[in-house]
Amino acid sequence: MSVLGSRADDVVVEEGSEPEGGVLGRAYRALSVGIVSVVFLIAFEATAVGTAMPVAARELHGVAQYAFAFSGFFTTSLFGMVLAGQWADRRGPLAALTTGIGAFAAGLVIAGTAQSMWVFVLGRAVQGLGGGLVIVALYVVVGRAYPERLRPAIMAAFAAGWVVPSIVGPLASGAVTEQLGWRWVFLGIPVLVVLPLALALPQIRRRASGPVDAEAAAAPLDRRRIRLALGIALGAGLVQYAAQDPRPLSLIPGAAGAALLVPAVLGLLPRGTYRAARGLPSVVLLRGVCAGSFVAAESFVPLMLVTQRGLSPTLAGLSLAAGGGTWALGSWLQSRPRLAPYRERLMTAGMVLVVGALLTAPSVLLPAVPAWTVAVVWAFGCLGMGLVISSTSVLLLRLSAPEEAGANSAALQISDALSNALLLAAAGAAFATLGGGSAAHPAAFAVVFLAMAAVALMGVWVATRCTGGDGTAAAAR
């Protein structure tokens, strides 16, 4: 993988013109099907677990610890991302990937067999560690195993792997929970991982195993980055805990979490990220700004439709269903070789679509606006997300030297996950403060969406700094 990619590589070389073909050509078919299947199963678990979680908490008499089942997953995944980046850069992605899948499956089994809520939370934490290892290792596999011309297509396939789970996952999980019990939502997935592993692992071992320089001695793990990873995981957990508890005493863990987070974030993200330095830092920043603002607002869409427009929870949830398809469409569009020279414009247009969706969605608070308006505008917002998220993944790999792909992939995922948690916590706090309790005052929803639109608007500017002025990838400076 080269540090800087040439536009000519993306434009002149059409997919399928080389002997190895596209991502589903004979040379890459087994690897592509295997790793996309892993993404599919992780996506299915992520979308299905929300349906089973309330039932699990009630049966385990742990409703009071309900939030920890989510925050436990998140905090350990942050640590897993940094660890995977270190591991993959020094010894190749194979061991990190297999360990991550093993930990993810073990966490599912622990959660599915738990007899107490704290054991269930432990299982979720083990899942998070595995998930963090897997997602970063997969990025390194893409960077090492696929030529640059095929990376946009495999990233588009990753996005497509979320479409069916986003639509079917909650429905399937609800049916399994009602007919067989919530435990089978967790226990059924580990068995399904065997086939993707059987397809992908031999190909990963052949194409992407081992360090970049096979003759050089493997460098030891960077202990400073591991300490920073622990700091960011613990700090994020404390901030989430403080946001969930509105009492004045919660300011103490919140302040402690912030004190841990700030130096950890500055140490783990590329230099210049906070000021949107051109190139890699802006790519990492854009990922967080885009994902965090959109996901934080999206979490309030069903609640707004239920409380303000009287829709059933099922209809409110289905209002977001079309977004899975348009997200995949956006990701597919950015993968087209002829559009590669215009990646900066694609990302800027994507952020404009996101801002438009966030500004328009709260219009349904007005009785005269049809409730289905949300489904339409959110589909356009998801189209923009597909353009931006996949493009940041492609640019990240293009701007990363082979020996830095793991650390930079970890930084991208940290920016994504951390912004999701922090902006969601901030939105939740603002919502509660402005009367978003059981009565759910309309103004509380409006403030959440407008605040996230302001964050996304900053992303429109950041998108223009991810590449050079001519559209090519720019070196970080």
Side-chain angles (χ1 to χ4, degrees):
M1 171 174 41
S2 61
V3 178
L4 297 180
S6 167
R7 286 193 298 168
D9 291 340
D10 291 320
V11 178
V12 177
V13 182
E14 294 290 337
E15 190 166 328
S17 64
E18 292 182 2
E20 61 266 23
V23 294
L24 291 179
R26 185 172 60 181
Y28 295 101
R29 185 180 302 130
L31 177 61
S32 298
V33 171
I35 61 178
V36 172
S37 296
V38 170
V39 171
F40 178 88
L41 292 174
I42 292 176
F44 185 84
E45 190 277 339
T47 55
V49 72
T51 304
M53 195 81 78
V55 180
R58 187 173 63 248
E59 289 191 9
L60 295 174
H61 308 288
V63 175
Q65 293 81 41
Y66 181 79
F68 289 103
F70 291 97
S71 60
F73 182 99
F74 167 73
T75 54
T76 54
S77 69
L78 284 172
F79 178 75
M81 291 170 188
V82 179
L83 180 60
Q86 293 269 302
W87 200 347
D89 283 343
R90 285 157 175 76
R91 295 177 174 84
L94 182 60
L97 180 63
T98 53
T99 302
I101 291 175
F104 190 81
L108 287 168
V109 172
I110 293 171
T113 58
Q115 299 301 314
S116 71
M117 190 60 182
W118 285 116
V119 174
F120 182 85
V121 170
L122 173 64
R124 291 285 293 161
V126 175
Q127 271 186 264
L129 177 64
L133 289 169
V134 168
I135 188 63
V136 172
L138 284 178
Y139 270 58
V140 179
V141 168
V142 171
R144 292 196 186 185
Y146 292 88
E148 186 172 321
R149 70 180 184 87
L150 294 183
R151 290 175 200 154
I154 194 64
M155 290 300 178
F158 281 0
W162 281 82
V163 175
V164 174
S166 67
I167 299 172
V168 177
L171 299 177
S173 175
V176 171
T177 300
E178 291 178 7
Q179 301 299 321
L180 301 176
W182 65 267
R183 296 182 184 277
W184 288 103
V185 175
F186 293 87
L187 295 176
I189 295 177
V191 179
L192 302 177
V193 176
V194 176
L195 179 59
L197 285 182
L199 286 171
L201 289 185
Q203 293 294 317
I204 295 173
R205 185 176 291 109
R206 182 166 69 90
R207 295 177 178 273
S209 63
V212 175
D213 188 350
E215 297 181 359
L221 294 179
D222 187 337
R223 294 183 179 180
R224 175 180 172 273
R225 291 185 69 85
I226 298 300
R227 288 195 298 269
L228 291 175
L230 289 171
I232 201 172
L234 181 58
L238 289 172
V239 170
Q240 288 183 89
Y241 174 79
Q244 293 161 8
D245 187 355
R247 295 177 301 172
L249 284 176
S250 66
L251 292 175
I252 297 175
L260 288 170
L261 270 179
V262 172
V265 169
L266 292 176
L268 290 173
L269 299 187
R271 188 186 302 275
T273 298
Y274 72 95
R275 57 182 174 84
R278 188 172 290 278
L280 182 64
S282 287
V283 172
V284 172
L285 178 61
L286 179 62
R287 179 61 162 262
V289 169
C290 178
S293 60
F294 193 80
V295 171
E298 186 178 58
S299 65
F300 288 89
V301 170
L303 183 62
M304 179 173 65
L305 292 175
V306 170
T307 60
Q308 303 301 308
R309 301 304 300 263
L311 270 65
S312 68
T314 300
L315 286 177
L318 288 176
S319 67
L320 304 176
T326 56
W327 190 312
L329 174 61
S331 188
W332 178 82
L333 287 174
Q334 67 78 37
S335 73
R336 299 300 84 197
R338 289 185 176 85
L339 293 180
Y342 311 105
R343 190 167 299 280
E344 179 180 299
R345 296 180 186 177
L346 289 175
M347 293 190 297
T348 304
M351 287 307 306
V352 170
L353 288 173
V354 170
V355 172
L358 296 178
L359 288 174
T360 309
S363 66
V364 298
L365 294 168
L366 301 173
V369 177
W372 51 258
T373 302
V374 170
V376 176
V377 301
W378 218 251
F380 279 100
C382 287
L383 175 65
M385 289 293 288
L387 291 170
V388 176
I389 296 298
S390 293
S391 289
T392 55
S393 300
V394 171
L395 284 179
L396 184 282
L397 293 174
R398 181 183 295 180
L399 289 164
S400 300
E403 65 276 8
E404 297 175 347
N408 290 341
S409 296
L412 189 75
Q413 296 302 322
I414 288 170
S415 178
D416 187 318
L418 189 60
S419 65
N420 283 348
L422 295 182
L423 288 178
L424 184 56
F431 183 73
T433 302
L434 295 170
S438 57
H441 195 282
F445 289 105
V447 168
V448 166
F449 282 93
L450 293 178
M452 293 304 108
V455 175
L457 186 61
M458 182 180 70
V460 176
W461 171 71
V462 176
T464 65
R465 299 184 58 78
C466 294
T467 63
D470 60 352
T472 59
R477 61 174 182 266

